[in-house]
Structures are given as structure tokens and as C-alpha cells.
Amino acid sequence: MAQPEVMASAFAPGKCILFGEHAVVFGHPAVAVAIDQGVRVRIRESLSWVLEGLPFEPSRHPHISHIIDNVFEYDGHPLNIDVESTLFSAAGMGSSAALSNAFGAALHSFLSPDEPLIPIKLAKMAHSAEATAQKGRASPTDTATSALGGFVVVSGGKVEGTRHVFDTSLVTPEGKRDWSVNVVDVPEGIGDAWLVMGFTGEGSPTGRMVAKVAKLVSSDSDRMGDLESIANITNAGLTALSAGNIEALGMAMDACHERLRNLEVSSPKLERLVEASRPHSLGAKLTGAGGGGCMVALTDNPDRVSEAIEVAGGKPLTSRLGARGVRITAD
Ligand code: PMV
């Protein structure tokens, strides 16, 4: 009788930033939320190393090879790795963090099928994989949100009204950086609202946008005020989230967008998608670094918002508000 095939499979969600992008670079908190879309990884034993049907070249996939060699120190049979993503890539949706989490979880399940998955361990592992792949520069936002799920707040220090989960640090080329990773516990009813993201179809150049904001802030003191306003809006958004007040949450999203626009990180296409969504939304804003990438709307009418985004030339994705984090899957 043929032996059953040894295989394992895991799924990790992508994310979108609700509040605090760019301000987080200056030490203020950022709030991200896990979304329904993400990355599924399946692994099985094979005669040679294969990724997505092609020979696996470790140097081209530093996240995956870091997890294989440095985290698990795996030296067993070659593996066939299959990756399926429902995220847009280079769009600020955290697709590489989701890949690291899903691959780490699948390999954990493959090697220790009876041991439970520990999301905090996975978050730290995925963060180290991102740092390895990105020359030591990686905030833990994407990896922690994909691992823990729900609403994650990343900050330089403690954040009022959140539950602390872990601290993490990284030695970057600019010096040591410390982060506090926290979660927001939200009332059940909040899951009745939806997020609709709209992808502009243009990549979001994070490094370039961060540099642009740094230059703007150093030459114009009003812009520093915009960063402080974003921090205040983030706090208002956190209060709204904890109370399950989605109207207030939407208003805070609108306000955050205005400040991001002052920081010149919006684009004509992002503006078009935000404007198209607003008549059917509680709030809408660009999300992430800007310059391209995605916007996000909060709504109780996701079909109308998706249609409006499509008509305005964007690619919509609908998610519940606050998806689960990384998990082992059966197939
Ligand atoms: O677009 P994303 O998801 O890569 O978000 C970037 C968020 C920034 O605050 C602009 C940069 C950062 O490192 O936090």
C-alpha cells in the first residue's frame, strides 16, 4: 500500500493600515488590521527543492531560506513549496509578511504536527525573516498583524487603551530600534462593518514616500503639526474601535486622509478612489505609504463601494473588519 504523502498547509492574512502611517516613523503609534485575503503555503516532501513548480533558488527567496536554515535549521528531505496569494503585491497589503508567516507555520506543522502554533513566536520569526530580506530595515507591523490577526498597534512605547503583547527590537543600519506590539480588543458587533480596499494598480514606493515626508517635515514646521494631528486622530480611532463605534471610526479615517494629503503622499488615482467610495462609506483614506498602492473604505454596503471603486478604475477587495491571524489549514 502506498504511504500517505507527508504534507502541511497554512494560511496567513494580509493587512491594511487604518491609522498612523508615516507618523509611526516618527515614534507615534500605527494601527493595522488583518484582512480576509492572504497567502496560503502548502509543503510536501519531494525529490528536489521546488518553489511554485520551479527549482528553488535560495538567494532569490531570502525570507524562505532564512526560515529553513536559520530558524528551523531544517536538513531533511527536499520540499516542494506551493504558494497561493489573494493579495495584490507591492500594494502595501503585507504580502511578504504573510508569506513568511504562512511558510513558517506550514514548516512548523510539517515538523511538529502535534505541537500548537504560537502566534507570538511566529510574529518574531517572520519579523526576523523580513529584516534579513530587507537589509535590517523592517517594522514589525505587517508580520505582527498577520500573525496575531485582529487589530494591532505598533508604537515606540506603551499605548493607552491597548493590550500589550510583546516587545521587539532590531539593529538597523541607522541604529537600534525598539517597538511595542499591542492589540485592541473590540466588541463583537464591529464585525458587521466591512472594509473595501481599492488598489490603484500602481506600486507603492515605501522608501521614497518616507524620504519625501522626512524632507517636507524638516523644511515646513506646519507639516510636523500634521504628523501630530495624525497621532491624535489615531488615538480617537483607537477609542472608537474599543467602543465599537464605527461611525466615529469612519470619521477618524476621513480626518487621517486629509492629514496624509497635506503630507503629499496621496496621488490623483488614490484621490479618485477615495472620492468614489465616500458617498457609500462611513470613512475612506489612503492606506500605507501612499504615492500609489491602496485606499481603504469602511462601509456597511461593500457591494456599492466595490462597484464605485471599479468604475473609478481601481481593483476592489472586500474584507470583514478584523480577520483571524495565521493558522494551520487542513488542505
Ligand atoms: O505601505 P506599507 O504597508 O509598506 O506601509 C508603510 C507605512 C509607513 O509608515 C509609511 C512606513 C513604515 O515603515 O511604517
Side-chain angles (χ1 to χ4, degrees), residues 84 87 125 143 145 191 226 250 269:
E84 221 177 276
L87 299 169
M125 178 196 72
T143 43
T145 308
D226 285 315
K269 203 143 186 206

Side-chain angles (χ1 to χ4, degrees), residues 58-291:
S59 62
R60 292 191 52 200
H61 303 282
H63 300 74
I64 291 180
S65 33
H66 172 77
I67 293 170
I68 294 170
D69 299 331
N70 305 337
V71 178
F72 287 91
E73 298 180 353
Y74 177 78
D75 60 1
H77 275 284
L79 300 174
N80 184 317
I81 306 162
D82 188 42
V83 179
E84 221 177 276
S85 176
T86 45
L87 299 169
F88 298 118
S89 57
M93 295 189 136
S95 61
S96 80
L99 171 62
S100 295
N101 271 308
F103 180 68
L107 193 52
H108 166 87
S109 160
F110 181 80
L111 294 171
S112 318
D114 299 327
E115 278 179 33
L117 198 64
I118 302 173
I120 296 177
K121 252 172 115 170
L122 220 58
K124 290 181 176 173
M125 178 196 72
H127 186 213
S128 74
E130 292 268 282
T132 305
Q134 296 170 25
K135 301 192 175 70
R137 290 184 190 89
S139 114
T141 311
D142 292 12
T143 43
T145 308
S146 178
L148 304 175
F151 301 86
V152 171
V153 185
V154 170
S155 174
K158 247 185 100 181
V159 185
E160 264 327 281
T162 63
R163 180 161 55 83
H164 178 255
V165 182
F166 68 96
D167 291 323
T168 183
S169 62
L170 203 63
V171 179
T172 73
E174 290 77 34
K176 185 162 173 276
R177 283 205 62 187
D178 301 296
W179 293 276
S180 164
V181 177
N182 310 273
V183 293
V184 192
D185 297 313
V186 295
E188 288 234 326
I190 208 155
D192 299 342
W194 298 83
L195 291 177
V196 183
M197 281 146 288
F199 180 39
T200 55
E202 291 157 359
S204 172
T206 303
R208 193 144 55 80
M209 300 319 281
V210 168
K212 181 176 178 180
V213 170
K215 196 162 161 223
L216 200 64
V217 165
S218 68
S219 63
D220 181 349
S221 56
D222 285 352
R223 303 288 77 87
M224 192 49 104
D226 285 315
L227 288 175
E228 267 142 35
S229 295
I230 290 179
N232 292 334
I233 291 163
T234 302
N235 281 331
L238 281 172
T239 305
L241 262 182
S242 305
N245 184 345
I246 56 162
E247 284 79 17
L249 190 64
M251 278 163 59
M253 288 168 69
D254 282 345
C256 188
H257 182 72
E258 299 319 308
R259 300 300 172 169
L260 290 167
R261 203 158 57 171
N262 289 351
L263 291 169
E264 299 178 17
V265 294
S266 193
S267 72
K269 203 143 186 206
L270 282 167
E271 288 301 309
R272 248 199 328 273
L273 302 188
V274 166
E275 283 311 310
S277 310
R278 283 209 166 131
H280 320 291
S281 299
L282 299 156
K285 64 183 279 289
L286 72 86
T287 176

Side-chain angles (χ1 to χ4, degrees), residues 9-54:
S9 152
F11 175 85
K15 70 91 184 52
C16 100
I17 297 183
L18 286 181
F19 300 107
E21 50 273 89
H22 288 289
V24 68
V25 175
F26 295 79
H28 298 300
V31 185
V33 59
I35 58 174
D36 290 338
Q37 293 75 17
V39 175
R40 180 183 303 277
V41 171
R42 290 185 184 83
I43 56 181
R44 57 187 159 83
E45 281 183 0
S46 162
L47 294 174
S48 62
W49 282 91
V50 176
L51 176 65
E52 293 280 76
L54 295 170

